[in-house]
Amino acid sequence: MAKTLARPAAAALFTLLAVIVPGTAPASAAPLQAAATSCYGGAVTVSTDDSLEFGPYTSSARCKDINVRIVGGDAGSVNACVKFVRYGTCNYWTTIGWGWKTIATDVLDGTRFTVPLGVDLEGATARVEIAY
C-alpha cells in the first residue's frame, strides 16, 4: 500500500516542480521570436553623410512595423521618418540610436514608402539598417 501512495505523491511533486522551476521559453514565445528574427533578418543597410532619402520600399508580411537602427558611422543618432508614397509627407520625425526603434506601426502589407534620414552634426556619417 505504501508503494501505491508513493507513486501518486511523487507524480504530484514532479508536476509541482515542473510548474515552479522555470524551464525553456513557452511554446507561444517561439512564433514571436521567429517573427522578429525574420523581420530584422530582411533589413536593408544604407549609409548617409547628411540628410538623404532611401527607398522606395514596399512593406510585406515579414514585419508589421518599420524599424531603424544605427549600425556604423560616427553619428551618435539620426533622425528618421516614414514618407508614405501615397501621401508624400513624413509621418513624424524620430531620433534613432544604436538599438532598434519603430518609426511606423501597423503598416499594411504592400504599402510603398521612403525613409528620409538626417544626422544632427554636419559632417557626421551613419550607416543604418531599415527593417520592414
Side-chain angles (χ1 to χ4, degrees):
M1 194 167 197
K3 288 183 182 179
T4 308
L5 293 176
R7 287 185 182 161
L13 179 60
F14 178 74
T15 302
L16 180 62
L17 286 174
V19 171
I20 294 172
V21 177
T24 59
S28 62
L32 294 175
Q33 185 178 14
T37 301
S38 64
C39 176
Y40 297 141
V44 296
T45 303
V46 296
S47 296
T48 180
D49 59 14
D50 208 335
S51 183
L52 295 175
E53 191 166 334
F54 297 94
Y57 304 111
T58 303
S59 63
S60 68
R62 185 176 60 235
C63 291
K64 173 176 106 169
D65 303 327
I66 300 170
N67 306 283
V68 178
R69 73 174 175 172
I70 296 175
V71 294
D74 57 6
S77 64
V78 297
N79 295 310
C81 76
V82 172
K83 186 186 286 186
F84 295 103
V85 171
R86 181 176 178 180
Y87 301 109
T89 58
C90 281
N91 57 347
Y92 52 86
W93 287 93
T94 304
T95 301
I96 309 298
W98 290 80
W100 286 109
K101 184 89 172 211
T102 301
I103 60 173
T105 58
D106 298 324
V107 179
L108 296 175
D109 295 351
T111 301
R112 292 182 44 82
F113 65 94
T114 61
V115 178
L117 296 174
V119 293
D120 288 338
L121 300 173
E122 188 174 333
T125 61
R127 193 170 76 246
V128 302
E129 286 185 326
I130 304 169
Y132 57 92

